[in-house]
Amino acid sequence: MRCDWLRKDDTMTDDTMANGTMTSMAVPELVRGMNENWAVPPGLGSIASLFPARKRSTSPHPNRACWRLRRCVTQSLGFALAIATSLCLFSAAAPAQTQNPTQAQTREQLLQELESGQFRDAVLLGQQAVSRWPRDAEFRHYLGLAYFETDDLKQAQEQLTRARELNPSDAATHFDLALVFLSQQDYPGAADELEASIKLDPTKALAHMLLGRAYLNSNRSVQAIEEFKTTLKLDPAMKLGHYHLGFAYFSLGRNDEAIGEYKEELRQSGESPVVVDALGHALLASGKYAAAVTYLRRGTELDAPNPDVWYDLGKALALGEQWAQAEPVLRKAAELKTTDPSPHYQLARVLEKLGKTDEARKERERFAELKKAQPATAGMATGRDQ
């Protein structure tokens, strides 16, 4: 799915651009383009191998293997939100308080079910385990992860919260609880848990990355920049690290720095639609229309169903006075997103320049109708997902 970004539109003020809420900076977007093969549509394909495994604790059980928990949650609140999280755990259970074989065997079986993707069976076994050993934090943790995989976020949050209460010094529990909050778009809650996780273990680049995203969604761009810088210090090769840093710079109107970070992301990771689109948009916002057209044309090739990249391309062409080329591009943007008034506004201007006054009048009327039908969002009434 597409990562929309805050964009200055025709009816937006400079103050709105500087202070607008970064509502669509969803984590996920975090992994848009983080697939090992950029050709794989975002949200599909495995991203687990992109992050280093993290040990949970020392374990007397050497046969416990690394297991991955994958999740892709799509939600909507006026914009598309794609969250994809990847967690690689060395299943290393802390020694149980009572070392009876039944408890150890239950732990082994629960881990095996999680490893093999039998999440509903893991839920059933985890329920039995926490019933028999209610103060075993790791059973609560694993049950929470099983619920998370079966889309029961309420129960996942409940079990992970209980695991945190039983063992507040486990950084992994705070991290995993943050994933639940992120999937619910509870960014302040996610930030609290990620701060706690980082305090216990400040070495995990992914935790800093996610904290930066939570900060961006909470209008804390300056703090987000520091977290993204820390991410890249810990892992200079972190995919989308430079993209997120660029996004944060752009949210503060620091366009040249944003452009530099987007270009560095492309240099390190190769072409990704979200990065190409963001770079084209930043160039457009900076008045560098010719350069913007180059990247935005490529964006339409990489992400053809995306109406926003077509809109940006049409606007860049119009501002560069390439009226004839701008017309079909803006019509395409309007076709792809019929509720968006902005392409009609730009199209009316282009048609006026081309001498098509009757068509221009109709486009202005259509723009007014659509704009009136759209509720104001963070001070913007353009109808676009900002």
Side-chain angles (χ1 to χ4, degrees):
M1 301 190 66
R2 185 180 188 275
C3 170
D4 299 311
W5 44 76
L6 184 67
R7 61 182 67 236
K8 183 172 181 180
D9 211 294
D10 305 288
T11 59
M12 295 170 58
T13 66
D14 291 336
D15 288 340
T16 300
M17 187 59 186
N19 301 315
T21 302
M22 300 298 295
T23 52
S24 62
M25 283 295 303
V27 171
E29 248 35 52
L30 166 65
V31 295
R32 170 91 190 225
M34 293 182 69
N35 303 283
E36 293 172 282
N37 182 352
W38 290 110
V40 177
L44 304 177
S46 172
I47 61 169
S49 62
L50 297 177
F51 306 120
R54 52 189 179 87
K55 294 185 178 180
R56 292 179 49 80
S57 59
T58 57
S59 171
H61 305 290
N63 291 328
R64 287 180 176 165
C66 176
W67 67 285
R68 293 185 174 94
L69 174 64
R70 302 184 184 92
R71 177 168 180 79
C72 181
V73 179
T74 301
Q75 299 182 358
S76 178
L77 185 61
F79 53 86
L81 170 67
I83 298 177
T85 60
S86 178
L87 177 60
C88 185
L89 301 176
F90 276 103
S91 56
Q97 293 180 354
T98 56
Q99 296 291 338
N100 66 77
T102 303
Q103 190 171 6
Q105 290 172 357
T106 301
R107 197 183 309 277
E108 291 287 354
Q109 184 179 350
L110 180 55
L111 285 167
Q112 289 172 8
E113 290 178 353
L114 288 168
E115 290 173 1
S116 61
Q118 301 177 56
F119 300 118
R120 296 196 181 280
D121 290 341
V123 166
L124 295 175
L125 182 58
Q127 289 172 337
Q128 296 171 11
V130 299
S131 177
R132 295 183 64 185
W133 300 286
R135 298 193 60 79
D136 187 308
E138 199 157 47
F139 278 143
R140 297 276 184 180
H141 191 163
Y142 291 156
L143 178 56
L145 295 177
Y147 277 130
F148 188 71
E149 278 296 316
T150 56
D151 294 327
D152 192 339
L153 300 181
K154 181 179 178 180
Q155 287 295 331
Q157 180 178 336
E158 180 179 323
Q159 292 302 324
L160 287 166
T161 299
R162 183 60 178 145
R164 180 194 61 189
E165 292 169 352
L166 291 168
N167 186 10
S169 62
D170 182 22
T173 300
H174 290 286
F175 181 92
D176 296 337
L177 183 55
L179 298 184
V180 176
F181 286 136
L182 287 169
S183 73
Q184 296 170 328
Q185 301 179 14
D186 180 355
Y187 303 115
D192 289 343
E193 294 303 324
L194 288 164
E195 287 168 355
S197 181
I198 288 170
K199 185 176 181 180
L200 292 164
D201 184 359
T203 66
K204 297 299 183 288
L206 180 56
H208 289 279
M209 171 84 85
L210 292 176
L211 181 56
R213 294 308 302 264
Y215 282 157
L216 272 175
N217 280 286
S218 304
N219 252 357
R220 299 162 70 180
S221 297
V222 174
Q223 291 169 280
I225 286 172
E226 293 307 310
E227 291 303 319
F228 295 139
K229 286 182 176 179
T230 300
T231 297
L232 291 167
K233 182 177 180 181
L234 291 170
D235 183 1
M238 172 67 81
K239 285 191 175 181
L240 290 188
H242 288 283
Y243 163 76
H244 289 306
L245 180 55
F247 201 128
Y249 281 139
F250 186 74
S251 74
L252 295 176
R254 296 162 64 174
N255 293 355
D256 288 342
E257 291 168 281
I259 290 168
E261 293 300 326
Y262 293 149
K263 287 183 176 179
E264 180 61 22
E265 184 66 46
L266 290 176
R267 187 191 68 80
Q268 281 195 183
S269 303
E271 272 191 336
S272 164
V274 68
V275 182
V276 172
D277 294 357
L279 176 54
H281 183 69
L283 289 165
L284 171 61
S286 301
K288 301 173 181 178
Y289 305 132
V293 165
T294 298
Y295 285 101
L296 292 169
R297 283 196 189 280
R298 182 56 179 157
T300 62
E301 295 170 356
L302 296 171
D303 196 12
N306 178 2
D308 292 322
V309 68
W310 286 95
Y311 171 80
D312 276 354
L313 175 58
K315 187 174 180 179
L317 289 165
L319 290 171
E321 300 184 355
Q322 300 180 59
W323 317 115
Q325 293 184 51
E327 180 185 354
V329 173
L330 289 166
R331 290 192 186 279
K332 179 69 173 180
E335 175 188 328
L336 288 170
K337 193 171 185 181
T338 58
T339 59
D340 187 355
S342 300
H344 297 280
Y345 178 88
Q346 291 293 337
L347 187 55
R349 295 176 59 192
V350 167
L351 291 170
E352 285 282 3
K353 294 292 184 179
L354 293 173
K356 302 178 181 181
T357 55
D358 288 342
E359 293 181 60
R361 176 180 51 79
K362 292 178 181 179
E363 291 300 328
R364 283 194 298 271
E365 291 173 354
R366 184 59 178 155
F367 168 75
E369 292 172 2
L370 290 173
K371 182 179 176 182
K372 185 177 180 179
Q374 293 293 333
T377 303
M380 308 167 207
T382 66
R384 300 181 66 74
D385 291 337
Q386 302 299 334

